[in-house]
Structure formats: C-alpha cells, structure tokens
Amino acid sequence: MRTLLALRLVAAAIAAAVASAEAHPHLRFSFRIAPLLEETRLTGLQVQWELDPIASMLVRRGADVNGDGELDADELDAFASGNHSLLAPRAYLLQISRQGEPQPFTVSRALKARVQDGRVTLDFEVRLQSPVEPHSLSVSFFDSTWYVALNAAEPVLAGDTSCRAQARLAQWPTVGWGEQAVSVVDLTCAPQGPVRPAAIATH
C-alpha cells in the first residue's frame, strides 16, 4: 500500500507539471555512463540519470509519503520500482550500436534511486549479450514519443577510466514531433588489464 501510494503521488505531481506544459519534451534528464571492462572485453555499462531541478522537486514532494521532507529508503525504492515497471518494456530507452548494428543487452541491475545535493538520480547496469573487442560503441537514449529527453552530461564518462567518449547530436524522427536532436555518445576503450567495474555510486 505504501509503495502504491508513493507512485500515485509521484504520478499526480508529474501529471500536474505536464498539464501546464505546451510543448514536448515534458521531462529532461542528463545521463552519464561508465564502461564495464573485463580483461580486454567491454561487457556492459553502468548508467546514471540525473533529473532536472523541476522534476527532482516534483519527485521529492510526491514520493515523500510520510511528509518528513526527506526521501527515505522505502520511498526511493518505491519510486525506482515504479519507473522500472514503466521502462523495462522499453529497454530503458537505451540504444547501443556498433558500426551501425544494434547490440543486444540485458538489464543486469534494475533502477536504484537516490538524492544528492537536492537532485534525484537513477542508476542501473546493463550487460552486452556479446562482449565487444575492440571496444567501440555508440550509446544513446531515445524516447520516440518525445515525452522524455535524455542529454549527455558534461563530462559524460563517470569514474576513473581509460576510455574516451565524444558526445554529438543526431537528428532522429519522433512520433508526431518531427526530427529532434538526440545525444549520441561514441565510446572507445583501449585494451587493458582487469579494472574495477563499479564507477557510479549506487547508495
């Protein structure tokens, strides 16, 4: 019951903001990535989304079920779980490609939510079905309805890594909103020995 109530409150807060908006996208996030390397193979990505100030404020208000002005662990888990249910069927809006060919992946760790400096973040982890060697991928997040826009953060790479990333804009078609600018990150990792995979804080 507590989880359902938290999700309903968050949904109501976001719906109120959407009702006052006149143009898409209604929600804007920024994203960072951290490559997961095992010996000489690129096996997956850690991803962090950071909500913009308005969306963070709405979530902090809507998910605060006990009204104490803070989001406790249960409230954050409820928010993350609800978003996982919405995003999992859409592969978390994530697209990974190599030389123009889509790279299948699975979500190996579902969304976790936290609050840092007043901003709400969501992080998760994906694993490539076929590890890449040499390491060169393009990573993007795209909502074809243009309800949500995810833009590359600066810097887009998180943690200590030997990889390099270059963000660029591409024009992709949306449903009913024409072509829109989408952040695409070209990721390149040099061969190296084993590294620590955890680069994004998850608690």
Side-chain angles (χ1 to χ4, degrees):
M1 179 63 69
R2 180 183 177 121
T3 298
L4 290 175
L5 180 58
L7 295 176
R8 287 172 183 154
L9 286 171
V10 171
I14 292 178
V18 169
S20 66
E22 296 181 355
H24 281 46
H26 294 314
L27 298 174
R28 293 184 180 273
F29 304 167
S30 60
F31 70 87
R32 285 189 168 88
I33 57 176
L36 298 174
L37 301 172
E38 293 180 4
E39 297 181 345
T40 62
R41 303 181 304 164
L42 176 58
T43 60
L45 299 169
Q46 287 184 328
V47 179
Q48 182 183 83
W49 293 351
E50 184 175 79
L51 281 65
D52 68 14
I54 293 176
S56 291
M57 177 188 67
L58 292 172
V59 170
R60 293 199 316 271
R61 290 179 179 177
D64 183 17
V65 179
N66 59 19
D68 66 354
E70 302 288 340
L71 293 184
D72 60 28
D74 288 344
E75 292 164 342
L76 287 168
D77 286 347
F79 175 66
S81 176
N83 279 281
H84 170 75
S85 299
L86 292 172
L87 292 165
R90 303 181 65 188
Y92 277 42
L93 308 178
L94 174 59
Q95 298 188 26
I96 303 175
S97 63
R98 183 184 182 204
Q99 298 178 341
E101 293 295 324
Q103 300 295 298
F105 62 87
T106 58
V107 176
S108 54
R109 180 172 53 76
L111 286 174
K112 294 291 291 183
R114 60 193 179 97
V115 178
Q116 183 174 0
D117 299 327
R119 301 282 287 269
V120 177
T121 64
L122 293 160
D123 61 80
F124 60 97
E125 183 177 292
V126 300
R127 292 282 177 168
L128 295 169
Q129 290 186 9
S130 299
V132 175
E133 186 178 13
H135 320 126
S136 180
L137 292 173
S138 293
V139 179
S140 57
F141 292 90
F142 180 58
D143 174 18
S144 62
T145 68
W146 206 235
Y147 188 92
V148 179
L150 288 126
N151 301 308
E154 179 59 44
V156 69
L157 280 181
D160 183 14
T161 177
S162 63
C163 300
R164 294 178 289 111
Q166 180 68 46
R168 56 184 170 87
L169 292 179
Q171 295 292 322
W172 288 4
T174 63
V175 178
W177 298 92
E179 288 195 343
Q180 299 291 340
V182 176
S183 289
V184 179
V185 175
D186 296 318
L187 175 67
T188 303
C189 297
Q192 60 184 42
V195 297
R196 295 194 307 268
I200 292 178
T202 59
H203 59 275

